[in-house]
Amino acid sequence: MKISIVIAILIVFLKVNHLSAQTDTTFTEYETYLKTQSGEIFGKLTIPENAQKVPVALIIAGSGPTDRDGNNPMMKNDALKKLAHQLALNNIASLRFDKRGIAASKEAMTSEADLRFENYVEDVKAWINQLKQDERFSKVVIIGHSEGSLIGMLAAEAADQYVSIAGVGRSADLILKEQLREQTQAVKDMTFPIIDSLKSGKTVYDVNPMLYSLFRPDVQPY
């Protein structure tokens, strides 16, 4: 139900100033890529059939190893894929992509330890520039989910419109602690000091291997 409501709101928002009728409810998809200094970032364009000068939404996935379709190794829901298809059925094109280091774009990340949040922001700005040069599109709209909402917000000045889905309103340390609050006290005793240290700008190298999915040394600088 929540996904349906979000899609409905997005469609209304994106169709402002774009009133041309579209009766053909089919669409086509094909692979595309963005060239960067460290490698190519791959994505998928979804284009409404017989579309003429339509808006295009740049869909940005959330945190972690989440791919262009909204899936990760722990969960598959195809949420972003479904969003792209519903937008297309309403005459709105979209581009969703695998962030550097993820899925098809894995080779674009030279080293996990060198990855920074700003890299994702610059990638989004480059995608926007590439989409703006495509004459099929009337405007570029950012749609960011979760962490993708913050990435999109920081790149939004390059776009025409911006949509946030479940964007965060608090600092990362508070969010992580909230997410871990249901864990055992032993887990919280190990993780909360690491979070506090990272907030103060100090990395922690003595990390229990069971916490490597969140706090392995290579990912802490990010």
Side-chain angles (χ1 to χ4, degrees), residues 16-40:
V16 172
N17 299 324
H18 186 75
L19 304 179
S20 59
Q22 175 78 10
T23 57
D24 188 345
T25 57
T26 60
F27 56 84
T28 57
E29 294 190 297
Y30 58 90
E31 294 290 317
T32 185
Y33 64 91
L34 175 72
K35 288 185 177 181
T36 75
Q37 291 183 344
S38 60
E40 296 173 340

Side-chain angles (χ1 to χ4, degrees), residues 10-210:
L10 286 172
I11 289 168
V12 171
F13 181 81
L14 293 176
K15 295 196 80 169
V16 172
N17 299 324
H18 186 75
L19 304 179
S20 59
Q22 175 78 10
T23 57
D24 188 345
T25 57
T26 60
F27 56 84
T28 57
E29 294 190 297
Y30 58 90
E31 294 290 317
T32 185
Y33 64 91
L34 175 72
K35 288 185 177 181
T36 75
Q37 291 183 344
S38 60
E40 296 173 340
I41 298 175
F42 293 91
K44 182 166 288 187
L45 270 170
T46 305
I47 309 291
E49 198 72 20
N50 302 320
Q52 295 183 359
K53 212 68 174 174
V54 296
V56 59
L58 178 60
I59 301 173
I60 311 170
S63 62
T66 305
D67 66 17
R68 69 182 77 175
D69 292 333
N71 303 322
N72 62 57
M74 300 294 293
M75 175 182 65
K76 181 176 180 179
N77 55 39
D78 281 339
L80 301 184
K81 179 180 180 180
K82 293 174 182 177
L83 173 58
H85 291 177
Q86 287 298 315
L87 291 173
L89 295 180
N90 286 270
N91 206 31
I92 300 166
S94 66
L95 168 66
R96 60 191 193 276
F97 64 96
D98 295 323
K99 294 178 294 183
R100 62 174 62 229
I102 305 300
S105 304
K106 186 176 181 179
E107 300 302 320
M109 183 175 69
T110 55
S111 168
E112 183 178 63
D114 293 332
L115 181 67
R116 298 293 184 272
F117 188 84
E118 290 77 12
N119 297 142
Y120 288 148
V121 176
E122 292 305 314
D123 290 340
V124 167
K125 289 180 179 179
W127 274 121
I128 293 170
N129 182 60
Q130 186 164 301
L131 290 171
K132 282 192 169 184
Q133 296 179 41
D134 194 322
E135 295 184 353
R136 292 173 296 180
F137 306 132
S138 58
K139 61 182 176 181
V140 180
V141 182
I142 291 174
I143 299 178
H145 173 248
S146 187
E147 183 187 66
S149 172
L150 179 56
I151 294 170
M153 184 186 299
L154 295 175
E157 62 180 4
D160 298 296
Q161 290 177 298
Y162 162 74
V163 178
S164 172
I165 302 177
V168 297
R170 289 160 294 160
S171 59
D173 61 305
L174 296 179
I175 294 171
L176 284 171
K177 286 182 177 180
E178 181 176 319
Q179 292 174 338
L180 293 166
R181 206 165 293 280
E182 298 302 319
Q183 298 294 323
T184 64
Q185 187 60 46
V187 171
K188 288 186 285 187
D189 288 344
M190 286 189 292
T191 58
F192 282 21
I194 296 175
I195 295 171
D196 291 337
S197 180
L198 292 174
K199 183 183 178 183
S200 68
K202 299 177 181 178
T203 53
V204 180
Y205 294 100
D206 184 17
V207 178
N208 189 308
M210 68 177 289

